[in-house]
Amino acid sequence: MTIEWRYTIHPGLGVLSLAGFLGQEAVGRFQGAVGWALARGTGPVVLDLTGLRGWSDGGRLAVSEAAVRLAAEGRGLELAAAPEGGPLGDGRVAVAVHGDLASALAAHRDRGVEERAWRSDAWPGEA
């Protein structure tokens, strides 16, 4: 099983939403989605995990590595609706955690700017 992803640009940040299970077999796809976010956005990336059914230790490690990768480019990583599974990160970079996507967006609210979105082909709920 793998993940599906969607990337949406909001004013001053990007939201990378995941659906499925972030296990070791999905790490490559996740890293590709992070690369997409790096190439197309600015500001912090909110990793929306609302649609994630869970993650393995390898998946959690991939998220920690994404935080380091984003920090190296001068961007932060924030989590929204993270599943349980132990602490995230290894202390190299700070990762803000929000209870849900609405809270994460409220922390960065700036209305009036166009939003754009991209997604993988099988993103749930959209044809």
Side-chain angles (χ1 to χ4, degrees):
M1 169 168 293
T2 189
I3 56 163
E4 297 301 327
W5 62 269
R6 178 180 63 196
Y7 182 67
T8 307
I9 295 174
H10 291 264
L13 68 111
V15 175
L16 179 57
S17 301
L18 300 183
F21 183 82
L22 183 54
Q24 191 61 43
E25 65 281 352
V27 167
R29 188 173 183 114
F30 172 68
Q31 291 169 336
V34 171
W36 182 276
L38 273 168
R40 287 163 181 81
T42 60
V45 172
V46 174
L47 187 58
D48 174 20
L49 303 174
T50 304
L52 201 67
R53 291 192 311 272
W55 52 11
S56 67
D57 289 341
R60 283 189 9 259
L61 178 61
V63 172
S64 295
E65 290 170 352
V68 172
R69 183 177 175 191
L70 286 160
E73 298 293 326
R75 299 176 66 187
L77 180 70
E78 301 180 19
L79 301 183
E84 295 191 26
L88 178 72
D90 55 12
R92 291 184 283 174
V93 296
V95 177
V97 178
H98 304 277
D100 56 26
L101 182 57
S103 299
L105 293 176
H108 298 277
R109 182 112 20 228
D110 183 11
R111 299 188 186 272
V113 178
E114 178 187 10
E115 295 179 4
R116 298 186 65 197
W118 296 266
R119 61 179 172 78
S120 57
D121 292 338
W123 179 254
E126 296 183 31

